[in-house]
């Protein structure tokens, strides 16, 4: 394949959705949904092209404006970024299919829901832009684009609870991104460059860099909603409309997680300390326990799913203590690749499972009229497909084989034992038990015979199918781990990623 | 470094700290807003002292000017009782909308939280200051920028960075403005600019002044736009002046939004971003990178992009104000055809 | 520190203090309006650090890259501020709430 | 120090005195109207004196014209702001406007 052409792909994955957003916005409201789906389709095509280019030719760099770092901004795609771009594409496409009938129904009720498509495509572009950007300041701009689009989507319904949650989300996001930017200012002052690659070559563990790194990570932790900085998440994610909740929970929090991972491993590895890794692990553990416990206590389904996100995000942060202890002392320690792949797999599996869960709950809400856990009795007979989707997603969240969640948790568990950091293992297991608790509680309700027959509103078939497909994908990525790992291996910091992936196969 | 200048800098910095403190701690929202605007003006002075005239212009126009107008306009809303379905307790005492201090102190343990947070902030300040004074000599990208200035199509280094070297950031930033307007639409629950309440006339003298000033504002905007090529100035400053002209005209009672069709609003909001995008994509066709301008045409393309961006920025800034001030962020005042949503999702 | 204090350092240190002040304000202020002002102060502190460090490298002109970044940042911050104000106003009008205090 | 510099210093100092007087008036006068009176009058004149002072330092006609333009615009803006505030204060509470004790 032509190498020159390949370098265009990173730019295309950003340009395509953003062009879509502008075109869709300019169209009259009634045509927007019709134009939105093709735009989503093109974006997916661009993402697939990018992944294909990365697999066949290795990491790809696009120098925007033709200047190149350090003066210009580069887009850089390697295995890690392509995996996240692909996940966004897959989830994004299915959510788009779900959103079309959803907003066709909601559109009659007014509000600003006609703005869903431009906002969502803009958000998609900013996610891709964030996964690909190789410039610290440009990352700030994409984070802000992402934050504004996400909050705008969260308040789309215009209802007061959503507005309050949205404002809290916005202010938390602004505080977080300003902390990040303060870090960027210090880094630029110290090393006079913004390109991730050049920064990583230039940094030393000087006090300014350590403080800068701390600020950047702290800011991003707020945006990722890691315990105890998750205060904004449950309300914001649960008060949004179903497709938006899915996007926020499955994708948006992953973007800041990706950035933490990137900075931690690729850029500021000299500033990373074992204690910092353990601290993130402790926060992650607290999130696993607290989030899952809170989810168990919720009576409203959407709040339950949102709290479950807090818990599942916690798992992803168990990756940091595991890769940090051996990374500097023994770069070839066998558990590094396990932990690395496990953490990323957790992000992927949670993305699919959580999107599926929010969409399924959205179907219930549409059918029953509210999201009280007790009002979904006997739905297994009435909405079997959606109940099945919820069950599949739940299996992955718990981490039962052969799901993607199982691969993730299994690899993390293996890494905890082989690295000697056994103290994370009880956290992983307790989290799984708590998760099993709330998943089975919902399923039990769905299987229980209803007290009196209730009138169900009709739900478009597409909505049920997309929820099921997402749930099925959450299981499937557990069965077909190698394909994902081949991509992830391009430019990976830990060599044995592929081998480890095979070891993690059930 | 002469001691008088040092004294001046120190004094200015102290002033900034005091103003920021006052803005955060003032009892009335009104005082808060005034202190904040004064803080913004103080910052403009600081930018000048730091040899950053471009930033001073941007801060004065956008930071202190536009945001100041929006803040003052919001005070009007917060200082009177809510008009919606407010079943909540109504705070009817005008001018005393700030009840937070009172509410906080009622909580047991709120005092402890406050102390703890203050201590944490002081600790953070200490850490930051230690880190900052230890920053080395750097070097920046001044030399790289100077070296590539030739091929950028403009002579002013800041404009070269904004529109060419880091044009991608600037493009996204114009996108952020557009996005913020979409967000405001979402918060308001309704799309468009027409309708809503028209402002009262501010009296003959002010109307007369505004009418006289508007052509001057537009002229200055054009001048700044043109100047950006070789001196401080450019699309953002020009755009905000255009926006300011619109805001003033609206305040003078001109029904500017009455004639705007939805299509024109959409066009106004996307013009700058779209033009950027079109030229960026056009650069791909001869095999270049996104937003790579051919050296020969770079100056012209940049001027064109900047003009479109300035118009769009001006329009968006005007839209922020026109939308908010005419309907106080509540959809219930107009457009009965689209009632406040009661989506049960 | 044996070197004499440069004037940019005065501003850089001020930026550090302002940042902490803004952050504390964001947490401690009750009213939405003041929280929004706190985010603006937070942003301004960051911009001040960028620009004061750029002054350090003054040769023929100060480092233009931070200047451009700050202009970008100012516009982004103001846009976000306008959005936040719009949300706060709508909340006030619909529910009469001006703080997060009683939210669940 | 030549004559131009000397004049600049004199005029700028005189301007500063007016600014100071205006600020003292703003802080010390009892009601909104006398405060406005102190502020706008003093500031307009103060700015004018500073502009005159700076004219002695400028080297081109364009710069002088710009300085004068600044003064005229500030005059127009200041007097209008004064007018608008006064009008608002009068409309809001005529009796307070005459007598207002707290800040």
């Amino acid at each position: 394949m032509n190498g020159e052409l390949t370098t265009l792909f990173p730019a295309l994955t950003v340009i395509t959705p953003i062009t879509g957003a502008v075109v869709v916005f300019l169209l009259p409201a009634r045509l927007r949904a019709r134009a939105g789906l093709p735009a989503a389709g093109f974006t997916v095509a661009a993402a697939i092209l990018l992944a294909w280019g990365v697999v066949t030719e290795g990491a790809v760099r696009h120098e925007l404006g033709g200047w190149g770092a350090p003066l210009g901004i580069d887009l850089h795609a390697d295995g890690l970024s392509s995996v996240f771009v692909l996940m966004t594409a897959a989830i994004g496409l299915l959510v788009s299919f779900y959103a079309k009938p959803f907003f066709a129904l909601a559109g009659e009720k007014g509000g600003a829901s006609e703005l869903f498509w431009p906002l969502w495509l803009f958000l998609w572009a900013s996610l891709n832009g964030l996964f690909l950007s190789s410039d610290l300041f440009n990352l700030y701009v994409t984070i802000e684009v992402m934050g504004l689009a996400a909050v705008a989507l969260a308040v789309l319904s215009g209802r007061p609870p959503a507005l309050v949650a949205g404002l809290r989300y916005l202010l938390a996001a602004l505080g977080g991104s300003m902390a990040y930017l303060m870090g960027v200012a210090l880094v630029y002052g110290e090393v006079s460059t913004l390109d991730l690659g050049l920064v990583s070559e230039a940094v030393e563990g000087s006090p300014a860099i350590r403080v800068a790194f701390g600020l950047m990570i702290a800011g991003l932790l707020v945006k990722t909603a890691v315990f105890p900085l998750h205060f904004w998440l449950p309300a914001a994610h649960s008060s949004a409309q179903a497709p938006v909740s899915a996007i926020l929970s499955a994708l948006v929090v992953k973007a800041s997680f990706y950035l933490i991972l990137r900075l931690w491993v690729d850029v500021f590895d000299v500033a990373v300390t074992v204690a910092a890794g353990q601290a993130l692990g402790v926060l992650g553990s607290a999130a696993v326990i607290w989030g899952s416990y809170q989810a168990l206590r919720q009576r409203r389904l959407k709040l339950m799913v949102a709290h479950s996100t807090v818990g599942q995000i916690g798992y992803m942060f168990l990756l940091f203590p595991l890769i940090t202890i051996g990374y500097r002392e023994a770069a070839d320690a066998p558990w590094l690749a396990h932990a690395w792949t496990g953490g990323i797999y957790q992000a992927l599996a949670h993305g699919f499972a959580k999107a599926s869960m929010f969409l399924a709950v959205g179907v219930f809400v549409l059918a029953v009229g509210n999201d009280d856990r007790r009002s979904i009795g006997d739905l297994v007979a009435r909405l079997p497909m959606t109940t099945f989707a919820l069950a599949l997603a739940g299996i992955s969240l718990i981490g039962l084989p052969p799901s993607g969640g199982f691969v993730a948790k299994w690899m993390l568990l293996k890494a905890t034992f082989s690295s000697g950091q056994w103290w994370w293992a009880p956290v992983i297991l307790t989290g799984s038990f708590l998760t099993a608790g709330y998943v089975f509680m919902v399923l039990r309700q769905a299987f229980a015979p209803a007290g009196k027959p209730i009138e169900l509103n009709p739900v478009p078939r597409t909505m049920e199918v997309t929820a099921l497909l997402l749930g099925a994908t959450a299981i499937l990525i557990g069965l077909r781990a190698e394909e994902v790992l081949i991509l992830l291996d391009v430019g990976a910091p830990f060599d044995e990623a592929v081998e480890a992936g095979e070891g993690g196969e059930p | 470094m002469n001691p008088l200048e040092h004294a001046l800098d120190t004094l200015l910095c102290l002033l900034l700290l005091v103003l920021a403190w006052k803005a955060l701690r003032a009892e009335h929202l009104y005082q808060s807003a005034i202190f904040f605007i004064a803080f913004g003006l103080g910052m403009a002075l600081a930018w000048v002292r730091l040899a950053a005239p471009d930033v001073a212009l941007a801060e004065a126009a956008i930071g202190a000017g536009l945001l100041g107008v929006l803040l003052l306009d919001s005070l009007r809303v917060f200082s009177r009782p809510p008009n919606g379905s407010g079943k909540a307790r109504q705070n009817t005492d005008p001018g005393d909308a700030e009840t937070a201090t009172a509410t906080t102190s009622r909580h047991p343990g709120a005092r402890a939280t406050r102390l703890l947070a203050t201590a944490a902030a002081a600790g953070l300040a200490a850490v930051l200051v230690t880190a900052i004074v230890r920053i080395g000599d750097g070097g920046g990208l001044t030399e790289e920028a100077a070296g590539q200035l030739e091929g950028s199509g403009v002579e002013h280094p800041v404009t070269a960075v904004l529109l060419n070297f880091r044009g991608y950031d600037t493009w996204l930033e114009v996108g952020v403005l557009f996005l913020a307007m979409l967000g405001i639409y979402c918060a308001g629950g309704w799309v468009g600019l027409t309708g809503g309440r028209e402002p009262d006339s501010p009296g003959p003298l002010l109307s007369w002044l505004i009418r006289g000033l508007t052509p001057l504002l537009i002229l200055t905007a054009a001048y700044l736009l043109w100047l950006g090529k070789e001196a401080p100035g450019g699309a953002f400053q020009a755009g905000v002046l255009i926006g300011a002209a619109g805001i003033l005209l609206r305040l003078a009672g001109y029904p500017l939004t009455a004639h705007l069709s939805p299509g024109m609003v959409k066009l106004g909001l996307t013009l700058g971003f779209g033009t950027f995008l079109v030229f960026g994509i056009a650069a791909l066709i001869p095999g270049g990178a996104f937003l790579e301008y051919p050296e020969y045409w770079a100056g012209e393309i940049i001027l064109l992009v900047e003009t479109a961006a300035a118009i769009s920025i001006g329009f968006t800034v005007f839209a922020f104000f026109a939308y908010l001030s005419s309907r106080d962020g509540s959809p219930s005042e107009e457009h009965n055809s689209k009632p406040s949503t009661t989506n049960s999702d | 520190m044996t070197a004499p204090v440069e004037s940019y350092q005065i501003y850089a240190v001020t930026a550090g203090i302002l940042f902490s002040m803004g952050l504390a304000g964001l947490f401690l202020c009750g009213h939405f309006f003041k929280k929004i002002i706190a985010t603006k102060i937070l942003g301004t502190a960051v911009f001040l650090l960028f620009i004061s460090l750029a002054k350090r490298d003054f040769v023929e002109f100060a480092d233009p890259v931070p200047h451009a970044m700050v202009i970008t940042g100012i516009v982004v911050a103001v846009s976000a501020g306008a959005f936040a104000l719009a949300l706060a106003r709508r909340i006030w009008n619909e529910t009469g709430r001006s703080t997060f205090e009683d939210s669940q | 120090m030549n004559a131009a510099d000397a004049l600049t210093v004199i005029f700028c100092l005189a301007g500063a005195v007016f600014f100071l007087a205006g600020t003292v008036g703003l802080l010390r006068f009892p009601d909104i109207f006398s405060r406005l009176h102190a502020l706008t009058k003093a500031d307009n004149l103060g700015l004018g004196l500073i502009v005159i002072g700076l004219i002695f330092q400028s080297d081109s006609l364009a710069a002088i014209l710009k300085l004068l333009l600044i003064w005229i615009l500030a005059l127009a803006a200041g007097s209008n702001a004064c007018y608008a505030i006064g009008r608002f204060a009068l409309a809001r509470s005529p009796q307070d406007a005459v007598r207002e004790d707290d800040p």
Side-chain angles (χ1 to χ4, degrees):
Chain A
M1 183 164 68
N2 187 348
E4 291 236 336
L5 199 61
T6 320
T7 62
L8 282 185
F9 296 156
L12 281 183
T13 48
V14 179
I15 300 170
T16 315
I18 230 166
T19 311
V22 174
V23 170
V24 166
F25 177 70
L26 289 174
L27 289 174
R30 68 199 139 77
L31 292 178
R32 282 195 188 144
R34 225 174 278 171
L37 270 185
F42 284 126
T43 309
V44 172
I48 292 172
L49 272 180
L50 176 75
W52 180 53
V54 168
V55 168
T56 52
E57 308 206 355
V60 185
R61 186 171 278 271
H62 181 91
E63 297 180 340
L64 290 159
W67 298 102
L71 200 53
I73 301 169
D74 290 355
L75 296 179
H76 179 78
D78 60 7
L80 181 61
S81 34
S82 320
V83 164
F84 277 90
V85 167
L86 266 190
M87 172 185 82
T88 309
I91 296 175
L93 186 69
L94 288 168
V95 173
S96 298
F97 273 111
Y98 182 93
K100 192 177 175 225
F102 181 90
F103 283 105
L105 288 173
E108 298 153 12
K109 296 177 190 161
S113 56
E114 54 180 289
L115 291 180
F116 170 79
W117 286 100
L119 283 170
W120 157 226
L121 289 167
F122 225 112
L123 178 64
W124 197 339
S126 72
L127 289 169
N128 284 348
L130 191 143
F131 295 136
L132 296 172
S133 177
S134 173
D135 183 282
L136 284 174
F137 185 76
N138 178 251
L139 280 164
Y140 160 74
V141 180
T142 50
I143 287 173
E144 288 288 33
V145 171
M146 179 181 87
L148 284 185
V151 176
L153 282 170
V155 302
L156 209 54
S157 70
R159 288 180 310 133
L163 293 170
V164 175
L167 182 59
R168 191 195 291 260
Y169 183 9
L170 180 60
L171 290 175
L174 281 177
S177 52
M178 280 306 155
Y180 170 83
L181 191 60
M182 191 74 179
V184 176
L186 286 170
V187 171
Y188 185 78
E190 188 84 352
V191 301
S192 294
T193 181
L194 294 160
D195 183 75
L196 295 185
L198 297 176
V199 169
S200 87
E201 285 166 23
V203 288
E204 292 156 17
S206 68
I209 291 294
R210 280 180 199 277
V211 172
F213 182 58
L215 281 169
M216 292 163 100
I217 297 293
L220 293 170
L221 287 178
V222 177
K223 305 204 82 149
T224 320
V226 176
F227 183 91
L229 302 169
H230 66 284
F231 54 90
W232 56 267
L233 186 143
H237 285 195
S238 65
S239 63
Q241 290 159 307
V244 177
S245 305
I247 292 165
L248 295 181
S249 245
L251 299 176
V252 174
V253 289
K254 302 292 157 47
S256 39
F257 167 73
Y258 160 85
L259 191 50
I260 296 176
L261 199 57
R262 179 67 86 186
L263 296 178
W264 193 276
V265 175
D266 276 356
V267 186
F268 292 101
D269 45 341
V270 290
V272 167
T273 60
V274 173
Q278 294 289 322
L280 279 194
V282 169
L283 292 185
S285 310
V288 170
I289 306 293
W290 178 255
S292 310
Y293 171 66
Q294 285 295 324
L296 200 56
R297 289 185 51 207
Q298 299 304 320
R299 189 170 280 173
R300 287 188 44 215
L301 286 174
K302 291 192 81 167
L303 267 175
M304 181 201 87
V305 184
H307 278 285
S308 143
T309 298
V310 174
Q312 296 288 325
I313 288 170
Y315 278 109
M316 306 191 304
F317 279 83
L318 293 181
L319 148 72
F320 292 99
L322 294 171
I323 58 171
T324 307
I325 187 162
Y327 185 50
R328 304 169 78 193
E329 288 142 23
D332 56 347
W335 68 80
L336 291 176
H338 284 175
W340 171 253
T341 328
I344 292 165
Y345 235 86
Q346 168 66 15
L348 296 182
H350 172 252
F352 285 104
K354 193 47 61 76
S356 164
M357 217 169 222
F358 262 124
L359 295 189
V361 169
V363 171
F364 285 161
V365 171
L366 209 58
V368 181
N370 66 59
D371 73 339
D372 193 305
R373 198 167 68 195
R374 293 162 306 177
S375 62
I376 60 166
D378 201 26
L379 279 191
V380 66
R382 319 278 294 272
L383 292 167
M385 204 192 288
T386 305
T387 315
F388 190 46
L390 196 72
L392 289 180
I395 285 171
S396 182
L397 286 188
I398 300 167
L400 295 178
S403 64
F406 167 73
V407 175
K409 277 146 202 159
W410 178 247
M411 285 196 191
L412 283 173
L413 259 185
K414 266 172 76 171
T416 56
F417 286 118
S418 50
S419 67
Q421 296 189 35
W422 50 267
W423 50 87
W424 307 118
V427 175
I428 297 175
L429 294 175
T430 315
S432 278
F433 280 122
L434 288 171
T435 310
Y438 61 77
V439 169
F440 286 128
M441 205 132 73
V442 173
L443 288 179
R444 201 187 63 131
Q445 287 287 346
F447 277 86
K452 52 178 188 271
I454 35 167
E455 196 68 27
L456 288 191
N457 302 315
V459 179
R461 200 74 170 161
T462 333
M463 289 169 64
E464 288 200 77
V465 173
T466 44
L468 182 64
L469 280 177
L470 279 166
T473 318
I475 304 289
L476 271 180
I477 59 168
L479 294 171
R480 312 243 36 109
E482 307 98 10
E483 280 82 352
V484 180
L485 292 174
I486 287 169
L487 185 56
L488 190 57
D489 195 36
V490 179
F494 307 113
D495 291 339
E496 293 97 330
V498 169
E499 193 188 315
E502 279 156 5
E505 269 283 279
Chain B
M1 182 61 48
N2 102 42
L4 196 64
E5 288 190 15
H6 250 88
L8 185 69
D9 288 329
T10 314
L11 207 64
L12 182 56
C13 284
L14 286 178
L15 179 73
L16 286 173
L17 289 174
V18 170
L19 286 174
W21 178 262
K22 284 288 205 179
L24 291 173
R25 296 287 296 154
E27 236 171 87
H28 289 262
L29 293 186
Y30 182 73
Q31 292 171 328
S32 225
I34 296 297
F35 278 121
F36 177 71
I37 292 169
F39 172 78
L41 293 176
M43 282 310 299
L45 271 183
W47 301 135
V48 173
R49 288 289 304 149
L50 289 167
D54 298 85
V55 181
L57 273 173
E59 171 87 37
I62 309 173
L66 168 67
L67 198 71
V69 170
L70 289 177
L71 285 173
L72 287 177
D73 188 66
S74 303
L75 276 181
R76 191 171 51 75
V77 176
F78 288 124
S79 64
R80 54 153 207 247
N83 59 359
S85 54
K87 50 213 172 267
R89 69 262 174 275
Q90 302 212 338
N91 184 359
T92 39
D93 187 7
D96 185 34
E98 166 70 331
T99 52
T101 351
T103 327
T104 322
S105 51
R106 252 183 268 128
H107 275 259
R111 211 181 165 73
T113 319
R114 189 163 275 272
L115 270 176
L116 204 68
T118 313
L124 176 66
V127 170
L128 276 175
V129 168
T130 340
I132 286 169
V133 295
R134 289 213 206 155
I135 285 188
D137 275 345
L141 290 168
T142 320
E143 280 175 25
E144 281 85 349
Q148 302 278 14
L149 201 53
E150 282 283 289
S152 71
V154 291
E155 289 147 42
H156 184 51
V158 176
T159 308
V161 176
L162 269 177
L163 270 301
N164 207 334
F165 304 147
R166 297 180 67 89
Y168 180 60
D169 274 347
T170 311
W171 173 59
L172 285 177
E173 167 199 359
V174 181
V176 167
L177 270 168
F178 166 59
L179 209 51
M181 191 61 217
L182 293 193
I184 292 174
Y185 279 150
C186 291
W190 173 75
V191 182
L193 270 189
T194 47
R197 185 172 50 78
E198 291 296 336
D200 312 323
S201 168
L205 190 57
L206 207 53
S207 311
W208 177 82
L209 175 77
I210 287 168
R211 276 177 231 189
L213 275 185
T214 307
L216 197 61
L217 274 172
I218 304 288
L219 189 68
T220 316
Y223 171 71
L224 274 177
L225 188 63
W226 181 252
L227 199 64
K229 200 169 174 179
E230 52 196 25
F236 287 100
Q237 293 87 341
V240 175
L241 282 187
I242 296 173
I247 292 174
L248 283 176
L249 278 180
R250 188 180 169 80
L251 283 175
Y254 274 90
L256 278 183
T257 51
H259 311 295
L260 279 174
S261 69
M264 281 168 73
V265 173
K266 286 185 195 168
L267 200 65
L269 292 178
T270 49
L271 180 67
F273 190 72
T275 310
F276 235 122
L277 181 61
V278 167
F279 278 107
I281 294 177
L284 297 176
I285 295 166
F290 183 58
L291 292 170
E292 179 172 1
Y293 305 139
E295 200 176 322
Y296 183 71
W297 290 106
E300 283 74 9
I301 293 176
I302 286 176
L303 189 64
L304 211 63
V305 167
E306 274 202 297
T307 310
I311 294 172
S312 229
I313 291 164
F315 185 83
T316 313
V317 161
F318 169 72
F320 284 174
F321 180 77
Y323 187 81
L324 286 178
S325 70
S326 64
R327 46 184 65 74
D328 302 338
S330 165
S332 47
E333 287 180 20
E334 83 296 313
H335 275 261
N336 300 325
S337 59
K338 298 204 170 186
S340 183
T341 170
T342 48
N343 193 348
S344 63
D345 174 42
Chain C
M1 296 276 121
T2 48
V5 180
E6 296 281 339
S7 77
Y8 80 82
Q9 282 179 321
I10 303 175
Y11 288 96
V13 166
T14 309
I17 302 171
L18 269 182
F19 182 84
S20 324
M21 231 170 181
L23 207 56
L26 186 55
F27 275 108
L28 293 177
C29 288
H31 199 288
F32 296 147
F33 188 82
K34 282 186 155 181
K35 277 193 192 291
I36 292 168
I37 285 187
T39 63
K40 309 313 299 175
I41 289 175
L42 201 56
T44 308
V46 180
F47 304 147
L48 187 58
L49 182 61
F50 265 115
I51 296 295
S52 55
L53 293 178
K55 173 82 185 301
R56 186 183 48 158
D57 310 318
F58 196 91
V59 197
E60 207 177 322
F61 40 81
D63 187 353
V65 176
H67 287 207
M69 291 193 288
V70 166
I71 292 176
T72 305
I74 288 177
V75 176
V76 170
V78 169
S79 307
F83 182 22
L85 273 177
L87 281 171
R89 291 167 67 146
R90 175 88 189 277
I91 293 168
W92 171 252
N93 271 330
E94 298 272 309
T95 67
R97 284 178 61 174
S98 62
T99 68
F100 290 121
E101 285 292 314
D102 43 343
S103 67
Q104 293 307 304
Chain D
M1 184 144 92
N2 58 20
D5 286 353
L7 282 170
T8 299
V9 170
I10 292 169
F11 276 108
C12 285
L13 275 181
V17 169
F18 271 95
F19 270 109
L20 190 67
T23 312
V24 171
L26 173 73
L27 294 173
R28 301 296 304 164
F29 275 153
D31 63 65
I32 200 164
F33 293 106
S34 42
R35 281 180 191 166
L36 280 175
H37 162 82
L39 200 60
T40 52
K41 302 287 188 304
D43 281 5
N44 287 342
L45 206 52
L47 184 66
L49 286 168
I50 286 176
V51 163
I52 293 174
L54 291 179
I55 282 176
F56 292 110
Q57 297 295 318
S58 47
D59 45 9
S60 70
L61 187 64
I64 294 175
L65 287 178
K66 269 188 207 163
L67 280 170
L68 288 175
L69 186 64
I70 289 172
W71 186 42
I72 292 169
L73 286 174
L75 270 181
S79 50
N80 269 286
C82 168
Y83 165 74
I85 294 173
R87 188 166 169 269
F88 177 74
L90 197 65
R92 182 160 158 175
S93 46
Q95 68 277 24
D96 276 10
V98 184
R99 178 107 202 102
E100 185 200 347
D101 287 321
D102 29 77

